[in-house]
Amino acid sequence: MTPVRAAWFAVPPVAVTCALVAFIVAELLGAHPLTLGPPQNASEAVAMRDYAAVLRFGARPGALARVEMIRRNVMNDHRMFTTPAEAAVMEHDRDALDLLAAHGGWSDSDRAHLACLARDLQDGALAALFDPSGSMACASDDGLARVLRRP
C-alpha cells in the first residue's frame, strides 16, 4: 500500500475526531448544538424537572405566576407558553406541583383552570388536587384549549 493511499484511510477517523472536538468545545463555550442546555425560565425548569432551577427562577417576584415560553423539544415538538403550574400539570408532575404549592405557585383564581387542564389531560389525581370536591365546572375554552390558544 502506498503512503498516499494509507493517508486516505486516516481521513474519516480524523474528520470524526475533529467534529467531536468541535461539538465539545461548543458545549463548553455555552452554545448547545447537541443538547437543550439549561432551562431559560421557571416553566422550562418544571418541564425539565430541574427543581433547583425552579426555586432559583422562583426567587424573582412573580416568576411562578408568569406565562413563559417553553422552547421547542423541551416539552413537545413545538414551543408553548405556560405558567410553571400549567407545565407541571401537562407533565403530570406531582412533585413539581408540591414544590410550586409550597412557594405560592398559583392563586386561588387559577385553581379552576388548573383543574380543568388536568381533566382535559385525563389526570384525575391532579384534578382532585385543585378541585377536591369535583364541583368546579369547566368551560369549553378553559383548560388545554386556553393554553394552546396562546401565540
Side-chain angles (χ1 to χ4, degrees):
M1 186 179 312
T2 65
V4 172
R5 189 168 179 192
W8 279 110
F9 283 112
V11 169
V14 169
V16 168
T17 302
C18 288
L20 224 102
V21 167
F23 281 118
I24 290 170
V25 168
E27 284 281 340
L28 292 174
L29 292 176
H32 301 286
L34 298 177
T35 65
L36 292 170
Q40 304 296 311
N41 55 55
S43 295
E44 271 194 13
V46 167
M48 292 178 164
R49 298 180 193 270
D50 185 346
Y51 303 129
V54 172
L55 292 175
R56 192 171 52 253
F57 288 117
R60 294 181 300 185
L64 296 179
R66 190 175 304 130
V67 174
E68 298 173 311
M69 183 181 79
I70 297 177
R71 293 173 290 165
R72 188 174 159 260
N73 295 328
V74 172
M75 208 151 89
N76 54 35
D77 62 349
H78 59 279
R79 67 184 187 160
M80 296 189 70
F81 292 86
T82 71
T83 64
E86 289 169 340
V89 171
M90 293 177 80
E91 288 290 305
H92 307 279
D93 189 350
R94 178 65 189 252
D95 293 333
L97 287 169
D98 291 341
L99 178 69
L100 292 168
H103 291 88
W106 61 82
S107 65
D108 286 338
S109 63
D110 296 329
R111 294 180 81 79
H113 164 63
L114 294 170
C116 292
L117 179 60
R119 285 189 194 117
D120 285 350
L121 297 171
Q122 299 176 349
D123 192 331
L126 290 184
L129 174 69
F130 299 108
D131 181 18
S133 66
S135 62
M136 291 181 188
C138 295
S140 62
D141 63 340
D142 205 10
L144 189 57
R146 180 169 151 190
V147 174
L148 296 177
R149 252 195 335 264
R150 294 181 186 137

